Amino acid sequence: MTFAIHAEGLTKRFGDNQALAGVDLAAREGTVLGLLGPNGAGKTTAVRILATLLAADSGQATVAGFDVRTDPRRVREHIGLTGQYASVDDDLTGTQNLVMIGQLLDLRGVEARRRARELLEWFDLTEAADRMAKTYSGGMRRRLDLAASLVGRPAVIFLDEPTTGLDPSKREDMWGVIRNLVADGSTVLLTTQYLAEADALADEITVIDRGRVIAGGPPDQLKRVLGGQRLSVRPADLGQRDELRRLLAVIGHGEPAEEGRDGLTVSVEGDDVLPDVVAALRSAGIRVTELSLHLPSLDEVFFSLTGRSEAAHQSTDRTTEKEPVA
Amino acid sequence: MTLTTTAPAELSVSAPTTAEGDRPTGPRALRHVLVLARRNLIKTIRTPEQFIDVTLQPVTFLLLFAYVFGGAISGGSRHQYLEFLLPGMLGQSVALGSIALGQNLKADIEKGVFDRFRSLPIARSAPLVAAVIADFARYLLLCVILVGFGYVMGFRIATDPLSLIAALALSIAFALCFCWISVFVGMKARTSGSVQGIMFLLVLPLSFGSSTFVETSTMPGWLQAFVKVNPISHLVGAVRGLMLGGPVGSNLAWTFAWMAALLVVFVPLALRGYARHA
């Protein structure tokens, strides 16, 4: 198996802060690896090391087959980087931004301009091509930023929280772009705090927290490993709710939890549990308006892994992941 | 939205790879520097307030010193003081003008633009060298404005036009060496605002503790000792010699020595600071 990104035992310390404490990552060619974790987990640090912007204290990593420590220049020939904050040049127009990157990648003037035009068109920025980037909306800046990282047709693309701060419809657009990149053969490392985003895009997910990998695998497997499936039931008659609760406690694992206004949910094992549930409900005479079996959401997975709810992370200080400047 | 269409398939410009695979050298590295220098020039031209420190500011200084202090300092002859002051102002102005460079570099780093440059297969020094080269245009403007305005006020060179050009070239060359201090501070300071604070602390004593505004002989002995080793004094001495006549040799030699020393010390320091920048 060929890995486009492969890292073993990466560590990095900033002063008293152990940003990475031995992280392993692997992404097969032509797939999306989702790097998921709360703010301050070390996601950005890991990306910066893989993109040769930062040297790890220990551990080793290869990107596109080249060692980031001994062969950084080769690595840079094969990567595209889109940072957490759009790193386009405000005082340059969209075209100037992209042509400049093309020229720095040794495209001839004509080629660089043609490539810029293609990318602007692809990202729906043709009309804004000759406007300074400072006049762009947040979504347009993100698109220009992503376009800038694609000028050299990189084999490996690092997207560090590409949709943070975008509204939901713009986020879906960005997802479409990322899917297309992968369809064209690129490998993508995507960091995100949005579980739905990792779920929607990633072939493999690595969850990190406080500089350590705490779980990894394909999204479905990750969900299954963590507590099997969830059974959700809503009684037709609220008076039967306590009776339903006792019944679910017998069928499932652990205490049934409240769900929504008057539903109950419990984790169950096995794909063939549903007929038994139906039979048990019938013999107990409990009528239900809703009955479903599904894998837990990544939110629930994340909660059970870290013991903290993602909602709580969202409100934590965004600066915690920023690396102190030397 | 056309975002969901796939990339056009006929694009087959292959990803650029260096034949030698190692660091970009010679013409390639030079081309990268020129591309980046052009970017800096575009940015400067689009933000005209970036020119204040090389246009209005030195002119204001010239007016203030010539008309407010000139009479008192020279003991009456304002014209004589202007002849003395203007060549000196060149040294002070290029030192002050260099502050913006470090500030702008720091701002670029804060915005993440340099992360993109660092992720490209170009020489790490290219963005810094490019910024310094683009600053050349600002210093040239500074020289033209200062001398032009001085002429309006009555300043006349006592030598020939060639010497004037040599004096301006020397000032600009000195500026391109001196500004590496600003680049270095830009790499080390925590914010672009603090670059300005730090550089002012350095530039003000250097420019006022020199032979720019008054004759060295009027100062106390300990200060004279400082003024005599101050690179700005040597630059000002050489520029005065070239514009007004008189001996140039020793000041010129010292100026060149200082320029070399500034480059030898601050270029590697700045590059190291840049490479380490997380």
Side-chain angles (χ1 to χ4, degrees), chain A residues 242-305:
Chain A
D242 288 334
E243 204 178 330
L244 175 63
R245 185 190 295 275
R246 280 192 294 278
L247 186 140
L248 289 181
V250 174
I251 295 172
H253 300 283
E255 273 299 297
E258 309 273 329
E259 189 179 62
R261 265 172 74 94
D262 36 46
L264 289 169
T265 176
V266 71
S267 88
V268 292
E269 250 170 46
D271 295 335
D272 53 357
V273 73
L274 209 47
D276 299 343
V277 175
V278 173
L281 287 170
R282 170 179 294 192
S283 63
I286 300 173
R287 288 175 301 118
V288 298
T289 56
E290 214 177 292
L291 177 64
S292 66
L293 191 61
H294 56 91
L295 288 170
S297 74
L298 270 173
D299 278 292
E300 291 164 301
V301 171
F302 199 89
F303 180 74
S304 68
L305 281 172

Side-chain angles (χ1 to χ4, degrees), chain A residues 48-326:
Chain A
R48 295 179 71 90
I49 289 170
L50 293 172
T52 75
L53 300 186
L54 195 63
D57 293 338
S58 68
Q60 66 94 37
T62 60
V63 172
F66 300 103
D67 193 300
V68 296
R69 188 188 296 272
T70 60
D71 220 354
R73 212 169 290 271
R74 286 279 195 204
V75 171
R76 286 180 211 135
E77 285 172 1
H78 293 91
I79 61 170
L81 172 69
T82 297
Q84 214 174 106
Y85 300 96
S87 57
V88 293
D89 215 320
D90 276 342
D91 299 316
L92 264 52
T93 65
T95 302
Q96 283 173 331
N97 263 293
L98 298 184
V99 169
M100 176 182 71
I101 302 286
Q103 288 174 330
L104 291 176
L105 288 167
D106 299 320
L107 295 181
R108 278 181 294 119
V110 185
E111 283 174 52
R113 277 189 289 279
R114 196 183 67 186
R115 181 70 177 141
R117 248 194 328 272
E118 285 160 2
L119 284 165
L120 288 165
E121 199 180 317
W122 188 29
F123 284 95
D124 205 20
L125 291 168
T126 302
E127 276 173 37
D130 296 323
R131 269 168 40 201
M132 280 190 249
K134 71 170 95 173
T135 67
Y136 285 21
S137 70
M140 290 163 78
R141 287 174 61 91
R142 288 301 173 93
R143 267 143 50 203
L144 182 61
D145 191 40
L146 184 53
S149 66
L150 299 180
V151 173
R153 292 162 216 289
V156 178
I157 301 161
F158 296 102
L159 303 176
D160 193 10
E161 303 201 2
T163 63
T164 298
L166 289 189
D167 63 49
S169 75
K170 293 284 183 296
R171 188 171 299 164
E172 299 258 348
D173 287 339
M174 192 61 99
W175 291 359
V177 171
I178 295 168
R179 288 195 183 100
N180 283 330
L181 293 174
V182 177
D184 288 350
S186 295
T187 306
V188 174
L189 189 151
L190 169 86
T191 80
T192 181
Q193 331 175 36
Y194 301 119
L195 303 155
E197 187 160 286
D199 203 6
L201 294 173
D203 299 290
E204 298 266 339
I205 294 177
T206 299
V207 186
I208 64 173
D209 189 31
R210 297 188 174 112
R212 287 177 195 286
V213 175
I214 54 174
D220 284 349
Q221 186 190 323
L222 204 57
K223 293 181 204 167
R224 204 178 294 269
V225 163
L226 292 142
Q229 310 197 70
R230 308 231 24 125
L231 176 70
S232 298
V233 191
R234 189 195 298 268
D237 177 3
L238 283 184
Q240 292 183 309
R241 202 148 168 265
D242 288 334
E243 204 178 330
L244 175 63
R245 185 190 295 275
R246 280 192 294 278
L247 186 140
L248 289 181
V250 174
I251 295 172
H253 300 283
E255 273 299 297
E258 309 273 329
E259 189 179 62
R261 265 172 74 94
D262 36 46
L264 289 169
T265 176
V266 71
S267 88
V268 292
E269 250 170 46
D271 295 335
D272 53 357
V273 73
L274 209 47
D276 299 343
V277 175
V278 173
L281 287 170
R282 170 179 294 192
S283 63
I286 300 173
R287 288 175 301 118
V288 298
T289 56
E290 214 177 292
L291 177 64
S292 66
L293 191 61
H294 56 91
L295 288 170
S297 74
L298 270 173
D299 278 292
E300 291 164 301
V301 171
F302 199 89
F303 180 74
S304 68
L305 281 172
T306 63
R308 289 170 287 157
S309 78
E310 179 62 6
H313 297 310
Q314 301 279 11
S315 63
T316 57
D317 185 3
R318 274 196 62 82
T319 61
T320 47
E321 189 153 359
K322 295 283 106 9
E323 293 143 5
V325 171

Side-chain angles (χ1 to χ4, degrees), chain B residues 10 16 62 88 123 134-135 143 195 202 215 236 246 249 270:
Chain B
E10 39 93 22
L62 191 64
D135 238 26
C143 289
V195 176
L202 181 78
E215 293 285 0
V236 167

Side-chain angles (χ1 to χ4, degrees), chain B residues 87-171:
Chain B
M89 286 290 309
L90 274 173
Q92 194 219 15
S93 304
V94 295
L96 276 172
S98 73
I99 296 177
L101 178 60
Q103 251 182 302
N104 290 341
L105 284 170
K106 181 68 198 174
D108 270 348
I109 287 173
E110 282 172 339
K111 280 185 200 151
V113 180
F114 272 43
D115 276 355
R116 160 127 318 126
F117 295 153
R118 282 148 49 92
S119 73
L120 294 172
I122 58 174
R124 286 241 157 152
S125 58
L128 297 191
V129 175
V132 171
I133 287 176
D135 238 26
F136 173 86
R138 286 178 3 105
Y139 298 127
L140 187 65
L141 181 69
L142 167 75
C143 289
V144 171
I145 296 261
L146 204 55
V147 174
F149 204 81
Y151 247 76
V152 174
M153 287 169 67
F155 173 81
R156 294 292 178 271
I157 51 166
T159 53
D160 51 305
L162 218 58
S163 299
L164 172 67
I165 290 171
L168 299 185
L170 182 68
S171 303

